[in-house]
Amino acid sequence: KNGKIIYSRGYGMANLEHNITIKPDTVFYIGSTSKQFVAACIALLVLDNKINLEESITTYLPELPDLYKSITVRHMVHHTSGIRDYLALRHSFGTWNDHCTPEQVIQLIARQKALNFQPGEQYMYSNSGYFLLSEIVRNVSGKSLAEFAKERLFDRLGMKNTHFHDDYTRVVKNRAMGHVKGEDGFSQYVTTFDIVGSGGLYTTVEDLFLWDQMFHEKSLGEEFLNFIHQKGKLNSGEELDYAFGLRIDTYKGIKRVSHGGSYIGFKADLMRFPDKKFSVIVLSNLASFNPTARCREIADIYLEEEFVHEKTEDRSEATPAAADLTADQLIRFTGTYWIEQEHAIVKIHIK
C-alpha cells in the first residue's frame, strides 16, 4: 500500500519431496497472469512503430494460411480473434502437458479449417492468441519473448528473479513445484511443457511488487501506461473489460485491475486497486487453491472502510434444497457435453 510492502509471508511447502518451505523469494509459475507482460512487450513495439495493432497477423506471421488474414493484432490482444485455443486442441488428443516446439503449435493452429467466430464478433479467451503474440515479438524484434522481456521490462524494473521459461531444462533457483491433492495424498506435477506467451512466466511476490509499483510510479512512461489500459471493443461497439492482459472492472464500488492464472498445479492472482494505491499478490503451488478468493478477502480487510456497500435482496428463502438423487438417477446426466458459448468440452462422471 502506498508504495510499500505492508505484509509478505510464505505459507506451506514449496517442494514436498525435499521438504522446502515457501518464502517471499520463492519462485512460482504464474500461468495466465503472464499475459500482461506479453501484452506489454507488444505495446512497447507498437510505441516503437514496429507493430501496427490494426494490421493483419499474417503480415507478421506469414506462415499462417488465408483463414487468419482478417484477424488483427488487436483482436488477439483483447481475445476477440476467434482463433481456437491450442491448449484445448492439445488436450483433446492427450498431449497438453508434453513438450512441443513453437513451430509445432503454429502448425496445429494453421491446420484448423475454421475460426470459432468472425473476428471482433465475440470475446472468447484464447491462449492461441497470446502464444502468437509472443511469436510476433520474436519475428519483429529478432529476439525471443524471454530475451525481449528481460531487456525491456525485467532488467529495467529490477525484477531479478523473473523470466519467461522457454527451456524446461533450465535450472531455477528457489523454484516451487506444482502439486495436486488426490485420494492418496499429494502428487507433484512433472512437465516438459515450455511454450510461452499463453503463460510461461516464473516470478516472485517481491518481483511482482516491483512490477505493480511501475503502475504508480510510471517508470516506463505515462504513454505506455495509458496504452496498456485501453479496453477492447466488439464490432458492435460494446466495450470489454479486457485491456492489454489486464482485466479492468470494479469491486464493491472501487476500480480494480487484475489477472489470474492457473496451470500445472500453480495458481496466481495479482489484484490492483489503483485509486487506493493498494494491491494484493497471491501465488500458490496447489491446484485446488483459490488465490482470487484470497485476494478479495485480503482486500476486504484492508479496504473495508473504502467500499461502497450496496443493498442486496435476501434470496435465502428462495434457495432450493439440494436434490438427493440415487446413483441410478445420477447416471442419466453423465457423459460428454459440448458447451457452445464457451466452445469447450465438459465431461460429467460419478466419482
Side-chain angles (χ1 to χ4, degrees):
K1 185 172 177 63
N2 295 323
K4 295 181 180 180
I5 295 177
I6 55 177
Y7 188 86
S8 177
R9 184 175 174 181
Y11 296 84
M13 307 303 293
N15 188 308
L16 287 171
E17 194 169 50
H18 297 291
N19 202 37
I20 300 171
T21 57
I22 293 173
K23 300 176 182 179
D25 64 350
T26 298
V27 178
F28 289 83
Y29 185 90
I30 63 170
S32 287
T33 309
S34 312
K35 285 184 169 67
Q36 58 198 284
F37 297 94
V38 181
C41 291
I42 291 293
L44 288 170
L45 287 168
V46 172
L47 295 175
D48 289 345
N49 295 316
K50 293 183 178 180
I51 290 178
N52 182 344
L53 286 178
E54 315 310 329
E55 189 70 67
S56 169
I57 62 172
T58 57
T59 301
Y60 307 106
L61 299 168
E63 59 268 50
L64 292 178
D66 288 348
L67 174 66
Y68 297 94
K69 273 192 174 181
S70 60
I71 298 171
T72 66
V73 178
R74 186 183 292 278
H75 285 139
M76 295 200 302
V77 168
H78 300 305
H79 295 297
T80 59
S81 68
I83 301 175
R84 292 172 175 170
D85 195 302
Y86 82 94
L87 289 177
L89 293 171
R90 283 174 55 82
H91 194 278
S92 68
F93 47 82
T95 59
W96 65 277
N97 200 25
D98 298 338
H99 177 70
C100 61
T101 65
E103 291 75 19
Q104 288 172 324
V105 177
I106 290 175
Q107 290 170 9
L108 175 61
I109 294 171
R111 286 201 301 269
Q112 302 308 304
K113 301 301 181 184
L115 302 173
N116 283 327
F117 50 82
Q118 288 300 308
E121 288 297 309
Q122 297 181 37
Y123 168 90
M124 184 179 177
Y125 196 84
S126 173
N127 287 298
S128 293
Y130 269 73
F131 159 73
L132 291 174
L133 288 175
S134 75
E135 289 300 296
I136 289 176
V137 171
R138 182 197 302 274
N139 290 349
V140 170
S141 71
K143 301 175 182 178
S144 68
L145 176 66
E147 294 167 331
F148 186 87
K150 182 180 186 300
E151 177 184 314
R152 298 291 296 273
L153 295 175
F154 308 145
D155 285 353
R156 288 186 62 182
L157 297 173
M159 299 171 68
K160 297 179 180 179
N161 295 307
T162 300
H163 72 279
F164 274 104
H165 198 71
D166 58 3
D167 176 5
Y168 74 90
T169 68
R170 177 174 176 172
V171 174
V172 182
K173 189 177 180 180
N174 296 326
R175 172 171 27 173
M177 298 302 294
H179 296 81
V180 60
K181 187 176 183 180
E183 294 180 358
D184 299 325
F186 291 96
S187 299
Q188 182 173 282
Y189 267 96
V190 178
T191 179
T192 56
F193 184 83
D194 56 12
I195 294 295
V196 298
S198 50
L201 197 76
Y202 273 92
T203 189
T204 68
V205 289
E206 294 174 337
D207 273 12
L208 288 177
F209 163 74
L210 298 174
W211 170 249
D212 177 75
Q213 290 311 293
M214 180 275 297
F215 288 86
H216 302 298
E217 297 171 356
K218 303 178 182 180
S219 51
L220 294 181
E222 191 165 356
E223 182 182 17
F224 169 76
L225 280 182
N226 291 336
F227 197 87
I228 62 175
H229 283 92
Q230 293 180 45
K231 293 182 179 180
K233 288 186 179 181
L234 299 180
N235 295 339
S236 64
E238 177 187 348
E239 187 177 66
L240 304 173
D241 66 6
Y242 203 92
F244 277 62
L246 302 168
R247 198 174 300 281
I248 304 173
D249 58 10
T250 59
Y251 177 66
K252 295 186 177 181
I254 299 178
K255 181 180 179 181
R256 174 175 61 178
V257 182
S258 64
H259 207 297
S262 173
Y263 203 53
I264 55 175
F266 290 94
K267 294 284 188 71
D269 209 319
L270 196 169
M271 194 173 292
R272 179 182 309 109
F273 299 87
D275 296 340
K276 306 303 176 183
K277 293 188 177 180
F278 179 81
S279 302
V280 187
I281 303 163
V282 177
L283 310 181
S284 167
N285 61 335
L286 181 61
S288 57
F289 191 75
N290 189 336
T292 303
R294 298 294 86 76
C295 282
R296 289 195 299 260
E297 289 167 356
I298 294 168
D300 288 345
I301 294 170
Y302 283 93
L303 300 179
E304 169 63 24
E305 296 182 0
E306 309 281 350
F307 289 135
V308 177
H309 296 282
E310 300 176 351
K311 292 184 178 180
T312 56
E313 182 182 350
D314 183 5
R315 297 179 179 270
S316 57
E317 293 183 1
T319 302
D324 186 14
L325 301 178
T326 66
D328 288 340
Q329 291 173 315
L330 285 171
I331 202 168
R332 293 170 47 204
F333 301 100
T334 62
T336 303
Y337 295 82
W338 171 253
I339 310 300
E340 180 63 32
Q341 185 176 2
E342 301 295 333
H343 293 268
I345 295 172
V346 174
K347 293 183 179 180
I348 297 177
H349 60 93
I350 298 174
K351 189 172 180 179

